[in-house]
Amino acid sequence: MKILAIETSCDETAVALLEASGGLKTPRFKILENLVASQIKIHAPFGGVVPNLAKREHLRNLPILWQRIMNNELRIKSKNKKFIIHNSKFVIPKIDLIAVTVGPGLEPCLWTGINFAKELYGELRIMNKELRILGVNHLEGHLYSHLLNSKFYILYPAISLIVSGGHTILLYQKSLTNYKKLGETRDDAAGECFDKVARMLDLPYPGGPELEKLAKRGDPTSINFPRPMLKQKNYDFSFSGLKTSVLYYLRDNKKIEKKDVAASFEAAAIEVLLRKTLRAAENFKARTIMVSGGVVANRELRKKIRVAARRKKLNLLIPDFQFCTDNAAMIAAAGYLSLLRGKKRGLSARGNLSI
Ligand code: KG4
Ligand code: ZN
């Protein structure tokens, strides 16, 4: 099955073309195209995402990315009979499913992706009456992003941590498609906290990766920032207290080594994420832990979780770098599973959609 996926929930315009097979038992994905048009340069002068600018860029980028996908497909397989000549002008790959993110995210941005997907559906359906379209939950995209890795195996039950710019969620997974939420952040998401602390340290947008770079040169034991909610037995998180302590530290101390602040903050944030995940794994007798979302691009987090999983003899699943931050390949993976499960999600933007 060939899946075209579209992702425009925030500041990355992403379009992907995948081949999916294996069904719900052994889903496998071959990535034909995974295009991401980053808007970093546009938003950088403002220090964060400006929703209207993001929407404008999505509108501009979507047709360009789609055109590039068609051109590449044409170049690679121009003699392949799978292609359909339309109006004797356009050569269009045969697509079986269009999967588009419907939430959570910035609603004006989500709508650009949804409307583009609907338009394409209208055009492509003329040639393929079997074509289907469905809305995908962005968080399920992250949850299933490890399925895009070339090699993996999963032993259930599993504990899954989704940690991005908008969310910090712990889930218990009984099987691939049977999961329940254990806890989430009560205030800021971990990625948001990285971004805000980065801004306090005058680092350029986007803050997370910049903070990581600075932290690498610093001493993580130099400042003892709080580890919020670590002592509480629930699976919720809170990051705004940690952010505020960094703010007070910067305000109250004259001689500051920014690299030590960055390293100490990073250590505190990672320790909270890790210890809560490991505790859930122990209490639920999980055999696997999975981590996903933009913050998982952080090398220190990846390293620490690898060490911890080995020590606890837990199977660990981490998406490849390119599948941690927002992309459309993960939306195709989640779309494939939704389709097989017969789950239908309407095609309207839902900014606060949860998992
Ligand atoms: O998943 P994602 O691309 O978008 C959302 O769904 O939110 O995650 C983006 C978040 C941002 O807050 C960004 O600063 C953070 O992931 N991030 C990082 C790193 N790379 C991205 N945080 C810490 N270290 C990184 N290397
Ligand atoms: Zn995301």
Side-chain angles (χ1 to χ4, degrees):
M1 164 178 295
K2 214 166 204 175
I3 305 174
L4 177 79
I6 295 168
E7 153 65 41
T8 59
S9 65
C10 192
D11 60 344
E12 317 274 17
T13 318
V15 182
L17 189 64
L18 273 78
E19 241 158 30
S21 59
L24 285 175
K25 278 241 164 77
T26 51
R28 287 288 182 272
F29 300 93
K30 184 177 169 203
I31 297 175
L32 306 173
E33 296 282 350
N34 186 26
L35 306 178
V36 182
S38 168
Q39 302 182 3
I40 287 176
K41 280 194 187 134
I42 312 273
H43 300 287
F46 303 94
V49 182
V50 184
N52 272 337
L53 285 182
K55 176 186 160 180
R56 192 191 70 186
E57 286 305 298
H58 289 314
L59 284 170
R60 205 174 67 86
N61 290 334
L62 280 168
I64 298 172
L65 297 186
W66 166 238
Q67 190 63 48
R68 196 178 303 166
I69 282 190
M70 282 202 296
N71 290 349
N72 286 352
E73 282 283 283
L74 176 61
R75 189 169 46 78
I76 299 163
K77 300 177 188 162
S78 56
K79 291 186 193 102
N80 192 317
K81 291 217 175 65
K82 274 185 188 162
F83 283 78
I84 302 163
I85 311 286
H86 176 44
N87 282 346
S88 65
K89 262 195 213 152
F90 307 109
V91 183
I92 292 172
K94 186 174 175 292
I95 288 163
D96 304 290
L97 171 70
I98 299 178
V100 57
T101 305
V102 292
L106 301 166
E107 289 204 357
C109 295
L110 291 164
W111 275 118
T112 61
I114 295 168
N115 289 335
F116 188 78
K118 281 183 181 168
E119 265 174 49
L120 268 186
Y121 176 74
E123 275 177 35
L124 300 180
R125 221 180 96 84
I126 299 170
M127 292 157 287
N128 177 13
K129 290 273 176 286
E130 308 281 288
L131 176 66
R132 275 163 292 180
I133 182 167
L134 56 84
V136 171
N137 184 331
H138 179 88
L139 295 169
E140 278 197 354
H142 282 304
L143 177 67
Y144 292 125
S145 53
H146 57 265
L147 298 177
L148 302 166
N149 288 0
S150 51
K151 275 192 202 149
F152 66 90
Y153 68 98
I154 316 172
L155 297 165
Y156 291 103
I159 293 294
S160 190
L161 172 74
I162 304 175
V163 59
S164 69
H167 298 85
T168 306
I169 300 172
L170 259 183
L171 299 164
Y172 171 74
Q173 257 185 300
K174 211 169 165 181
S175 69
L176 187 65
T177 52
N178 182 342
Y179 59 79
K180 72 166 192 226
K181 195 194 288 182
L182 297 177
E184 63 191 320
T185 184
R186 295 188 180 172
D187 40 59
D188 291 354
E192 186 182 358
C193 191
F194 267 87
D195 294 337
K196 286 178 176 166
V197 170
R199 208 185 305 180
M200 290 177 207
L201 296 171
D202 300 317
L203 295 171
Y205 164 88
E210 292 294 327
L211 191 134
E212 179 185 359
K213 265 191 243 161
L214 183 64
K216 228 175 151 188
R217 297 191 276 119
D219 173 6
T221 61
S222 54
I223 309 154
N224 190 19
F225 287 127
R227 272 70 171 153
M229 297 188 71
L230 211 51
K231 295 216 170 72
Q232 294 184 22
K233 288 220 153 52
N234 57 40
Y235 300 108
D236 285 343
F237 300 89
S238 164
F239 286 99
S240 80
L242 173 57
K243 173 190 70 187
T244 313
S245 3
V246 177
L247 186 73
Y248 290 162
Y249 182 86
L250 294 173
R251 186 195 63 188
D252 299 339
N253 291 278
K254 290 284 164 284
K255 268 184 132 188
I256 287 162
E257 279 288 354
K258 281 187 183 175
K259 59 180 196 282
D260 290 339
V261 177
S264 303
F265 158 76
E266 189 184 63
I270 291 177
E271 188 180 336
V272 174
L273 293 169
L274 211 65
R275 296 223 349 227
K276 285 249 164 178
T277 306
L278 290 173
R279 191 188 297 158
E282 194 175 321
N283 292 352
F284 284 87
K285 300 193 172 28
R287 302 168 76 194
T288 297
I289 44 180
M290 306 185 214
V291 288
S292 61
V295 179
V296 177
N298 184 291
R299 283 184 173 77
E300 193 58 25
L301 173 61
R302 294 170 89 90
K303 194 172 82 189
K304 289 239 166 81
I305 202 151
R306 278 209 179 95
V307 171
R310 209 172 301 138
R311 205 179 54 231
K312 301 264 178 194
K313 297 193 169 51
L314 286 161
N315 179 33
L316 174 66
L317 283 172
I318 307 184
D320 291 348
F321 273 104
Q322 56 171 327
F323 306 128
C324 290
T325 45
D326 289 349
N327 64 87
M330 70 181 195
I331 301 304
Y336 179 62
L337 301 185
S338 288
L339 184 79
L340 297 177
R341 291 161 76 193
K343 248 177 119 179
K344 285 208 181 93
R345 194 168 273 113
L347 290 172
S348 51
R350 291 173 61 189
N352 294 322
L353 187 63
S354 66
I355 192 163

